Amino acid sequence: MFESLPVAKADPILSLTVAFRQDTRPNKVDLGIGVYRDALGKTPIMKSVSAAQEYLFAQQESKGYVGLAGNESFNIAMQTLLLNNTNAMARAATIQTPGASGGLRLLADLIKQAKPNATVWLSDPSYVNHHPIMEAAGLNVAYYPYFDAQTKQVKEQAMLECLAGLGSDDVVLLHGCCHNPTGADLSKQAWQQIAQLAPKCGFLPFIDIAYQGFGDGLDEDAYGLRLLSEVCDEMLITASCSKNFGLYRERTGMACVISPSIEQAQNAKANLMSLSRKTYTMPPDWGAACVAHILGTERLTANWREELDVMNQRILSLRTTLRDALNQATNSNRFDYIALHKGMFSVTGLTPKQIDCLRDDHAIYMVGDGRMNIAGLLEADVQQVVEAFVAVGA
Ligand code: PMP
């Protein structure tokens, strides 16, 4: 039966991780997969998460099923973290999903059910898995202009002109903050213009926020989605706890539907629950139970916010160190963009040939599209990275 299967394409980021593990060179540097590393090169369990785990170990008495929507305390806590006091809270419904990846797929399936001919517009470029997930749900995929390779900033004018031409069959997928892969985020003014265009043109905003707290702060990073949620009758959101709670392998995320009325939102949630029933049925419990406990306990929430801040400060300091070292080594200011970008990544503009050379000759691993995971860098590796960039003519 399976001999007719096509040869499966390897995921470019996950296969890079395998190649990195197999590399025996002692000076190897992993700037590939999007995980945060601390000053020791570890991806630690956050202390607030450890405390929540201890609490759960002591309290949990059953491994009975949690239900199709997952942990409802988690759902409400996450919805509040995203929407805070906006009026959209009163007309939003949320389901727990296996990571934001699960949320993306469930919401894509929901769009397909509601509007089979819808086109989902992605930023050019976008997170590597957006296109495959939307396509797997049977949706049309198109791209709006986003990244200016020259300035390394967002082509806001071109993007807004493109969005102005869209209508009610269109869904616009926007990164809430800390754009993956580019690191270039929308300005407040651009969000304000999108907030005018969406209700006027009738396209549906779909926000993917996987790095809340890694940009300018938890509330600041939700600026765009909160603004849109106030003015749009309908909106979709998926969020991830992989990075800001460090729960990567626990597969913790959510999908939220905002509708004109709470009844419609609840009905959309019921549809999401039947969609999850026929795929994985229920999301895993542990990560969401930890997040619900942290966000439901004042002291732990404060601890978690402090830990997140420390991670963020570390990335910011790496960004300035790298910018200064590269500018100095090249006697230029062409690496200024590194400190202007937000979140874990920056697109460097290096060519596939330069990236191959970095890996083969300098043991530095980066994704083929030129994305560099700055949150994976160690201070001690900065010099090696700078010398290698200069050697390949970056
Ligand atoms: N969306 C974006 C923009 C991402 O970068 C990622 C990967 N971290 C995801 C979604 C998927 O995240 P998760 O681990 O929660 O499935």
Side-chain angles (χ1 to χ4, degrees):
M1 180 191 286
F2 301 120
E3 63 277 7
S4 59
L5 285 176
V7 177
K9 271 200 229 142
D11 180 277
I13 299 180
L14 300 181
S15 46
L16 192 73
T17 310
V18 174
F20 180 79
R21 276 200 201 119
Q22 287 167 351
D23 191 328
T24 52
R25 288 174 288 182
N27 62 337
K28 61 185 179 177
V29 177
D30 182 7
L31 302 180
I33 194 163
V35 295
Y36 171 84
R37 292 198 187 87
D38 65 14
L40 301 172
K42 299 266 182 299
T43 303
I45 300 178
M46 293 171 84
K47 289 194 180 70
S48 46
V49 169
S50 294
Q53 297 205 106
E54 277 170 32
Y55 169 85
L56 290 177
F57 272 128
Q59 297 294 316
Q60 201 171 58
E61 289 177 337
S62 170
K63 289 289 179 191
Y65 288 122
V66 282
L68 291 175
N71 183 323
E72 292 287 18
S73 308
F74 166 84
N75 293 338
I76 288 293
M78 285 299 291
Q79 200 179 286
T80 310
L81 192 66
L82 292 167
L83 294 172
N84 199 22
N85 290 323
T86 53
N87 69 33
M89 268 306 273
R91 49 189 185 89
T94 293
I95 177 174
Q96 184 200 325
T97 54
S101 307
L104 284 165
R105 181 56 196 261
L106 271 199
L107 291 174
D109 287 341
L110 190 76
I111 297 167
K112 182 70 185 173
Q113 259 190 348
K115 198 157 253 190
N117 290 326
T119 298
V120 178
W121 290 79
L122 306 177
S123 58
D124 178 23
S126 198
Y127 168 47
V128 68
N129 213 12
H130 277 156
H131 195 134
I133 291 177
M134 298 305 139
E135 209 171 54
L139 293 165
N140 306 314
V141 177
Y143 286 87
Y144 55 83
Y146 190 80
F147 188 61
D148 185 330
Q150 217 59 47
T151 64
K152 308 270 193 309
Q153 295 303 319
V154 183
K155 289 180 196 165
E156 292 186 341
Q157 205 46 45
M159 171 182 175
L160 292 165
E161 276 166 22
C162 173
L163 299 193
L166 304 187
S168 58
D169 286 340
D170 296 304
V171 178
V172 176
L173 203 157
L174 298 154
H175 297 232
C177 64
C178 306
H179 186 269
N180 180 4
T182 67
D185 274 355
L186 292 169
S187 66
K188 281 192 174 169
Q189 289 77 2
W191 280 111
Q192 287 156 10
Q193 301 219 35
I194 297 168
Q196 286 180 7
L197 285 175
K200 193 165 107 195
C201 306
F203 61 76
L204 175 72
F206 181 169
I207 312 288
D208 179 3
I209 179 154
Y211 305 91
Q212 190 185 4
F214 276 88
D216 294 325
L218 280 166
D219 287 316
E220 292 81 352
D221 291 351
Y223 171 81
L225 77 85
R226 287 180 191 168
L227 185 71
L228 288 182
S229 78
E230 297 270 13
V231 297
C232 297
D233 279 349
E234 292 187 320
M235 186 166 132
L236 303 176
I237 308 173
T238 185
S240 171
C241 301
S242 293
K243 321 287 151 112
N244 54 9
F245 285 88
L247 284 165
Y248 308 84
R249 68 173 65 168
E250 300 293 351
R251 313 306 304 126
T252 312
M254 56 84 94
C256 172
V257 180
I258 297 173
S259 295
S261 71
I262 188 63
E263 291 76 22
Q264 279 183 47
Q266 291 294 0
N267 184 48
K269 174 169 171 172
N271 273 276
L272 288 174
M273 285 155 72
S274 13
L275 287 167
S276 80
R277 178 68 176 138
K278 38 190 164 170
T279 48
Y280 53 83
T281 291
M282 287 168 203
D285 171 61
W286 193 251
C290 287
V291 171
H293 183 61
I294 293 169
L295 295 180
T297 314
E298 223 172 283
R299 179 183 49 84
L300 283 184
T301 306
N303 293 351
W304 167 70
R305 281 176 172 263
E306 277 166 28
E307 286 182 272
L308 191 56
D309 201 42
V310 169
M311 296 202 284
N312 215 5
Q313 291 305 324
R314 180 176 146 67
I315 300 173
L316 287 175
S317 132
L318 281 167
R319 282 192 178 279
T320 45
T321 306
L322 191 60
R323 176 202 58 191
D324 291 346
L326 279 166
N327 277 347
Q328 201 184 10
T330 54
N331 201 13
S332 76
N333 57 5
R334 66 175 184 274
F335 293 95
D336 280 357
Y337 69 87
I338 293 181
L340 297 174
H341 286 168
K342 305 283 180 190
M344 295 168 62
F345 310 116
S346 273
V347 157
T348 56
L350 293 184
T351 63
K353 203 164 154 230
Q354 287 172 313
I355 288 162
D356 285 351
C357 186
L358 281 179
R359 187 192 55 233
D360 298 341
D361 301 345
H362 305 276
I364 293 169
Y365 284 70
M366 258 169 59
V367 188
D369 62 3
R371 184 189 85 168
M372 164 166 59
N373 176 29
I374 292 174
L377 191 62
L378 297 182
E379 292 270 354
D381 295 335
V382 169
Q383 206 43 42
Q384 181 188 342
V385 169
V386 169
E387 280 164 21
F389 268 46
V390 172
V392 303

